[in-house]
Amino acid sequence: PNREFQRMHSAWESQDIEAFSDLLLAAPMMAIVALRETMFIVRNREWASTISRMNESSLNTLIVVGAGHLCGPDSLLTFLEHDVRKIA
């Protein structure tokens, strides 16, 4: 497990999103469908809805999430793609 974490950290540090995503999706916990859905898919979908509503405000907002929520087919960014406003 420690070796895998080090590989994920290296991918994150070098901004290799594809490698990070591959390592995350290959993690043993991701094989547990209910866990993956609860921790990532459902949470990302709900956050995307909340963030979209926040974007309707003229206030600037900083949103911080773990790196695992920003990659893969069910990422927070994927759920936000329908929102045409700039997300940075």
Side-chain angles (χ1 to χ4, degrees):
N2 192 30
R3 176 181 280 166
E4 291 304 310
F5 179 77
Q6 289 173 342
R7 290 175 60 199
M8 287 178 78
H9 180 264
S10 293
W12 173 79
E13 193 170 49
S14 65
Q15 299 179 9
D16 188 342
I17 296 169
E18 186 174 338
F20 183 88
S21 181
D22 290 345
L23 289 164
L24 177 67
L25 294 173
M29 72 174 189
M30 297 303 268
I32 304 169
V33 176
L35 179 64
R36 185 179 68 242
E37 284 200 15
T38 301
M39 284 185 62
F40 291 97
I41 300 172
V42 172
R43 187 180 287 178
N44 288 344
R45 187 179 302 120
E46 290 174 359
W47 284 349
S49 177
T50 300
I51 292 166
S52 290
R53 286 192 308 274
M54 291 169 72
N55 274 340
E56 294 170 4
S57 168
S58 62
L59 298 173
N60 290 328
T61 305
L62 172 65
I63 298 165
V64 180
V65 299
H69 292 280
L70 300 176
C71 60
D74 298 305
S75 73
L76 177 59
L77 298 176
T78 299
F79 286 114
L80 288 169
E81 281 181 346
H82 74 278
D83 192 336
V84 296
R85 290 166 285 232
K86 182 179 179 184
I87 299 170

